[in-house]
Amino acid sequence: MRIGTVLWFFLLIVFLMSGSNSIYGANATTEDGSAFLPEVVVTATRDTEDVRRVPANVSVITEKEIEESGATTVVEALEKLESLQLVDLTGTGSKAYIDMRGFGGDNAYGRTLIMLDGRRLNRPDMSAINWLQIPLNNIERIEVVRGAGSVLYGDAAIGGVINIITKKGKGKTTFNASIIGGSYGLHDERVGVSGSVDKWTYSLTGENNFNSGYRDRSEVKSRGGGFDVGYDMSDALDLSLGASFNRTDYQLPGALTKAQMEQDRRQYQPAGLWNPAASDDDGADKYTDVNFSVHSLLGSWSEFNLSFLYGRKDLEINMLTWGTYADTTTDTYGIMPKYILEKDIFGFGNKLLVGLDYYKELYTKDFFSSRERTIKNSWTDLSRDSIGWYVRDEFSILKNLILHAGYRLERAKIGGDNTDTFTPANNFSGKEKKYSMDAYEGGATLLLGKESKIFAKYATVYRIPFLDEIAYFNGGGGGFLMDLEEEKGISTEIGTEFSPLKNLKFGCTLFRIDMEDEIAYVGFFPTGKNQNTGKTRHDGAELSFSYLFEKRAKFYGNFTYHKATFQNGANNKKEMPLVPNRTANAGAEIYLPYHLTLRPEVRYVGDAFLGGDNDNSSEKLASYTLLNLYLFYHPTLGKIKLSAFLGAENMTDQKYSTYGYESWGGNTYYPMAGIVIKGGLSVEF
């Protein structure tokens, strides 16, 4: 089957080459003779690369686009892209989890890799990251690469990779400040300064974000900042040190039944037959991230990069609803050397990338009987070590045809101790489980004209179990599961970006991902346990378009189709929960006189089966359509850049939820905000 798939892709590329009548090299020139400037990305190949040469569907959100979007969180910046569905339980974006390429389901945390400057942010336990740890004004760009990335990045890079790249100083000193305010107590203040002096570069940012929330007890406040300092020792050697800090305090309003939403959809979860009220549920997160890197040119053909990183997470959770009071600490250490050799072979362009990723994660979690933390009920001390070697080669067999292949070998080890005074069966000491994984990929990119391409890719993927999947320290029974293996899968895709006319671009990608050995809970709580029993299939299509009507308007939009199904067991061929079949986004920028821009937008999300509804027997989570309208003002005031906006989101006051769960005690939902009015002002000089 695998050989047949590779052969099919090869024959398809040959057919497309033979049928193309207008093929140009990548270094084409514009009509006026100036060089065509390609968009450069780093995430897709772990090196600077023209996005047209990448065999993947890639999106880039720039600093300017973030600033002019009115977004106050990374979630708001991401949610309008194709194939991305962000599920939010509070409406504030702090703990939203992401579904890329139909990997929502009841455990979506480990199938999309999220990085900050190339360092993974995914937690080692089964939880979403805190998106508010990344101040928006500290972001230079966000690169979204859809599809398999296990060869270059290893664990979790199944549905895709999101890399958030922070600002680096350059040019003369620039100051910027902004303030955004809006409904439900929203206010967001940002300040920053960046520039360079002689051989030094610098960037310093800070942000304060507060939102009292649409629902009672959904308040969130986040304060953070970051800096980056660079030093050019010579033309061939650069050093940089960057760090970011954040503290986020949040409340959790809990779920509501339909009857409770009809009564008051803004209330927090009241006391019921099976659970107490969510009147005292909250948490606090503290993050510290440090990254030191060395970039060295080793002659005209090669370069060497070395990164050292450290991250610390201190997390506190207080949930009377679940009877949980816990403190979690994670220390992450990493070393990532990388060597790049770019040299022609017999006159053909060739780029070789060889690298290593080493991560050591130390994880502790303590459970207490009350918020005061006077009595400790259980405690766990675990570690996860991994080392992965990877190699990727890119060969330009023709100026317009690039072939690539890659391989990764990774070893991981999970082990530690757990003491549970309530469930002694979960106690273990000195347990250790070793994993050995590999992944490979092959693909091709055919360049057409100045801006178009066709690509195909075949790859294998994997995911290492979360700590709380292999070790039972969050409840239930099972102790340490020595027989729990990694998840594995095969990803195939083919796509195109086509520009038939100046300023008009279309994109289309078709994909299939077949997963096996997926981890599923088998049996009844608390006597069941996690096992590698699942098989799923993820089929989909991603469509996009944009057209610039110069000096008048820009039109853009995307459509995504997902079909995620179980492929074995009692629910064979049933759809996976929480994966909408269809999502769509469309919008326009209308350029008005007096430096005004009007931006109407619409977002549609189709219905989906509720969480836990694996047999598709319950009602669905309803579809919804959101209408947004923004007005921007960008006057010219000499050297001062001024920007202001006013926006209305969910203008029709749509009543909707992005998450719901099937329960025999009554289905529950997490209602999102109604109409939101917000505005902002920013200045740069």
Side-chain angles (χ1 to χ4, degrees), residues 30-42:
T30 60
E31 293 180 359
D32 61 3
S34 61
F36 171 72
L37 298 177
E39 184 175 35
V40 173
V41 295
V42 299

Side-chain angles (χ1 to χ4, degrees), residues 283-589:
D285 297 349
K286 291 189 292 184
Y287 299 88
T288 301
D289 295 292
V290 182
N291 193 337
F292 175 73
S293 63
V294 180
H295 175 221
S296 176
L297 297 176
L298 305 177
S300 58
W301 298 323
S302 62
E303 62 181 278
F304 177 76
N305 296 301
L306 177 62
S307 294
F308 299 91
L309 59 90
Y310 169 73
R312 182 179 177 89
K313 305 179 184 71
D314 290 294
L315 315 175
E316 177 185 307
I317 187 73
N318 303 291
M319 292 197 68
L320 174 64
T321 306
W322 294 351
T324 298
Y325 302 93
D327 294 341
T328 304
T329 299
T330 305
D331 289 292
T332 301
Y333 303 86
I335 303 174
M336 294 179 290
K338 177 177 62 178
Y339 173 74
I340 302 166
L341 175 63
E342 190 167 3
K343 181 176 173 57
D344 290 355
I345 299 178
F346 302 115
F348 298 97
N350 192 78
K351 181 192 288 187
L352 176 67
L353 172 69
V354 180
L356 179 147
D357 297 326
Y358 170 75
Y359 281 93
K360 184 177 185 65
E361 295 176 286
L362 304 176
Y363 180 95
T364 63
K365 189 167 187 177
D366 299 328
F367 288 90
F368 301 88
S369 59
S370 66
R371 179 183 287 269
E372 291 72 27
R373 288 161 168 72
T374 55
I375 300 176
K376 187 183 294 188
N377 294 332
S378 65
W379 51 97
T380 189
D381 188 352
L382 298 171
S383 67
R384 188 175 100 161
D385 299 347
S386 65
I387 184 168
W389 299 265
Y390 62 90
V391 57
R392 184 183 187 273
D393 192 73
E394 185 178 287
F395 184 67
S396 299
I397 191 170
L398 299 173
K399 282 188 175 181
N400 61 305
L401 178 59
I402 304 103
L403 306 179
H404 88 272
Y407 177 76
R408 183 184 189 93
L409 178 64
E410 183 161 359
R411 300 288 185 264
K413 179 176 64 175
I414 297 175
D417 312 308
N418 183 61
T419 302
D420 189 333
T421 59
F422 284 155
T423 312
N426 285 338
N427 292 348
F428 56 84
S429 177
K431 289 289 187 178
E432 183 178 280
K433 170 70 175 179
K434 294 181 179 179
Y435 292 91
S436 177
M437 296 79 54
D438 65 354
Y440 56 88
E441 66 178 37
T445 305
L446 178 66
L447 306 180
L448 306 172
K450 300 176 183 179
E451 300 183 50
S452 303
K453 72 174 181 179
I454 298 173
F455 66 88
K457 183 178 179 180
Y458 175 90
T460 60
V461 294
Y462 61 85
R463 181 181 78 86
I464 303 171
F466 289 116
L467 296 182
D468 43 354
E469 286 180 318
I470 189 172
Y472 281 77
F473 54 85
N474 284 329
F480 193 93
L481 305 179
M482 292 295 296
D483 58 346
L484 195 66
E485 303 297 336
E486 72 275 8
E487 297 181 347
K488 299 181 286 292
I490 298 173
S491 172
T492 55
E493 62 183 296
I494 183 169
T496 181
E497 290 182 1
F498 183 54
S499 183
L501 300 172
K502 181 182 179 182
N503 298 331
L504 176 63
K505 180 177 288 187
F506 295 98
C508 177
T509 304
L510 307 177
F511 66 87
R512 168 171 288 181
I513 306 172
D514 284 313
M515 297 296 298
E516 61 182 24
D517 294 332
E518 286 200 305
I519 298 171
Y521 189 82
V522 179
F524 296 96
F525 184 85
T527 57
K529 67 175 184 177
N530 291 325
Q531 299 181 32
N532 296 102
T533 61
K535 288 187 177 182
T536 61
R537 169 167 289 179
H538 305 260
D539 288 328
E542 300 157 350
L543 308 174
S544 63
F545 81 93
S546 65
Y547 176 66
L548 176 62
F549 190 22
E550 292 184 358
K551 299 182 180 180
R552 288 178 173 81
K554 178 182 179 181
F555 303 94
Y556 53 90
N558 57 67
F559 173 81
T560 304
Y561 171 79
H562 283 152
K563 184 70 175 293
T565 56
F566 298 103
Q567 294 294 302
N568 67 338
N571 299 314
N572 188 27
K573 306 305 180 184
K574 299 290 186 180
E575 291 192 41
M576 294 182 64
L578 300 171
V579 180
N581 293 136
R582 296 170 181 84
T583 60
N585 297 276
E589 292 181 355

Side-chain angles (χ1 to χ4, degrees), residues 83-156:
S83 206
L84 271 69
Q85 171 72 358
L86 287 115
V87 177
D88 196 348
L89 304 188
T90 66
T92 60
S94 61
K95 294 282 189 176
Y97 74 75
I98 192 165
D99 166 13
M100 187 183 293
R101 290 204 162 171
F103 278 94
D106 291 319
N107 179 7
Y109 307 114
R111 278 84 174 192
T112 298
L113 178 62
I114 304 162
M115 300 189 300
L116 180 65
D117 290 326
R119 179 187 65 80
R120 60 174 59 239
L121 293 180
N122 296 56
R123 289 173 51 170
D125 56 359
M126 194 164 49
S127 299
I129 73 164
N130 183 355
W131 295 93
L132 296 181
Q133 68 182 284
I134 311 154
L136 276 183
N137 68 327
N138 195 31
I139 298 175
E140 178 180 290
R141 58 201 278 120
I142 303 174
E143 297 182 357
V144 179
V145 183
R146 299 165 185 82
S150 291
V151 166
L152 289 177
Y153 295 104
D155 181 39

Side-chain angles (χ1 to χ4, degrees), residues 248-267:
T248 300
D249 297 271
Y250 59 92
Q251 296 175 330
L252 298 168
L256 299 177
T257 65
K258 276 191 172 182
Q260 291 166 346
M261 288 193 295
E262 290 175 359
Q263 178 191 52
D264 180 7
R265 61 186 291 108
R266 297 185 62 179
Q267 66 178 314

Side-chain angles (χ1 to χ4, degrees), residues 192-214:
V193 60
S194 64
S196 62
V197 178
D198 296 327
K199 294 184 177 183
W200 292 90
T201 64
Y202 57 90
S203 175
L204 176 65
T205 60
E207 181 177 18
N208 176 60
N209 186 308
F210 177 86
N211 193 336
S212 58
Y214 171 71

